[in-house]
Amino acid sequence: QVQLVESGGGLVQHGGSLRLSCAASGSRFNINSMGWYRQAPGKQRELVARITSSGTTTYADSMKGRCTISRDNAKNTMYLQMNSLKPESTAIYYCNLVRYDSNYWGQGTQVTVSS
């Protein structure tokens, strides 16, 4: 059973930075991809960034150039470094893991960017 635990969210000022972490437990094999999604109040959950098992990364257009996704395979942990944050980045950020045909989600971490 895969479990994902996010951390690193919080309150930050416009223009500030945050680094989110996602620690994965359970099997570390046969992972297709890991990623970060976010959901703002009244909006659908959307992709922020994703990294495949081969290291290929994908970013949402709204976050390109302002965030970096990375993985530490030895620690089974994924990171999202976000810079130049804007108030519209306020949302709950969720960690996602795809293994075989199954999707796993963390409980989410709140990111609030004040103007």
Side-chain angles (χ1 to χ4, degrees):
Q1 182 70 18
V2 174
Q3 290 187 320
L4 305 171
V5 179
E6 302 101 331
S7 61
L11 174 64
V12 63
Q13 290 187 337
H14 187 177
S17 298
L18 279 176
R19 189 176 83 152
L20 306 183
S21 300
C22 173
S25 61
S27 178
R28 63 177 63 194
F29 300 108
N30 298 307
I31 295 174
N32 300 93
S33 66
M34 294 185 72
W36 290 96
Y37 288 72
R38 67 185 180 190
Q39 187 166 19
K43 295 187 177 181
Q44 289 188 329
R45 191 172 297 188
E46 62 178 5
L47 174 71
V48 178
R50 180 170 54 228
I51 184 167
T52 68
S53 58
S54 62
T56 301
T57 57
T58 303
Y59 295 95
D61 288 342
S62 60
M63 293 298 289
K64 280 181 180 176
R66 297 192 295 118
C67 73
T68 302
I69 188 171
S70 61
R71 284 176 63 181
D72 184 333
N73 292 327
K75 295 182 178 179
N76 221 19
T77 300
M78 176 180 63
Y79 305 96
L80 183 69
Q81 175 68 44
M82 299 188 291
N83 303 315
S84 303
L85 283 164
K86 302 176 181 180
E88 51 264 41
S89 297
T90 295
I92 299 175
Y93 285 68
Y94 296 92
C95 174
N96 170 262
L97 184 150
V98 179
R99 180 170 177 264
Y100 295 118
D101 292 330
S102 296
N103 265 280
Y104 300 90
W105 296 93
Q107 81 288 350
T109 185
Q110 176 72 48
V111 171
T112 303
V113 184
S114 63
S115 56

